[in-house]
Structures are given as structure tokens and as C-alpha cells.
Amino acid sequence: MANHKSAKKRSRQTFKRTQINKSILSKIKTSLNKFNALISSNDSEALKKSWSSLNSTLARAAKKGLIKKQYVARKLSSLSNQLKNIS
């Protein structure tokens, strides 16, 4: 455990930041799973909503530095190709 006041504060900040990052990464995984499930069901309207939500969460995570921009670009490219093949 930290002994100095600043180290205690840093420890609290790290804990809070870790919780926030975990929740964002969990949202990404959840939205990816929902999108993949909707691809197999061929529900076009729900797919469009899911696509915009997924795009938004991935972009936000990349902006904060949680995931790399190249990963986002690659993932969105492959998912948009799947979406085009269905439509």
C-alpha cells in the first residue's frame, strides 16, 4: 500500500481509470457480439443501428487510446464488407 499522500491519490486514480477502461472494453465486446448475431439473423434495420453504435464505441475507445486506430480501421473495414454482402 502507498505511504505518501500523492501515491495514495495516484492509486485511487489508477483504480478508477481501470474500472472505466474495463467498462469501455466490455461495451466494445458486447456490441461486436450483438453485431455478429444480427449479421446471421439478417435484420437490416437493427443492423444499421448496431453498426452506428459499434462504430461510435470503437472510435471513442481509439480516441482515448484504449485500442489502436489501425485495429479500429481493420475491424470496421471487415465488418462493413460483411454488411455489404448481406444487403
Side-chain angles (χ1 to χ4, degrees):
M1 187 62 197
N3 292 322
H4 294 282
K5 189 175 181 182
S6 61
K8 289 179 183 177
K9 179 180 178 182
R10 181 55 71 185
S11 177
R12 288 193 309 269
Q13 288 175 334
T14 302
F15 179 76
K16 287 179 185 175
R17 216 170 272 128
T18 302
Q19 296 301 318
I20 291 168
N21 291 345
K22 279 184 184 178
S23 71
I24 292 171
L25 291 174
S26 176
K27 283 180 188 176
I28 290 171
K29 290 175 189 174
T30 302
S31 57
L32 273 171
N33 289 336
K34 284 182 182 178
F35 186 79
N36 287 330
L38 287 172
I39 283 179
S40 61
S41 72
N42 294 334
D43 186 8
S44 63
E45 189 170 318
L47 259 173
K48 288 180 183 178
K49 287 182 182 179
S50 178
W51 170 253
S52 65
S53 149
L54 177 62
N55 195 349
S56 173
T57 53
L58 284 173
R60 228 178 276 138
K63 185 178 179 184
K64 292 188 178 205
L66 287 175
I67 53 178
K68 293 188 176 187
K69 290 180 184 177
Q70 182 58 41
Y71 170 79
V72 173
R74 190 174 57 245
K75 185 58 82 173
L76 290 177
S77 174
S78 69
L79 292 176
S80 67
N81 285 336
Q82 289 178 7
L83 190 61
K84 286 178 188 174
N85 290 338
I86 289 175
S87 298

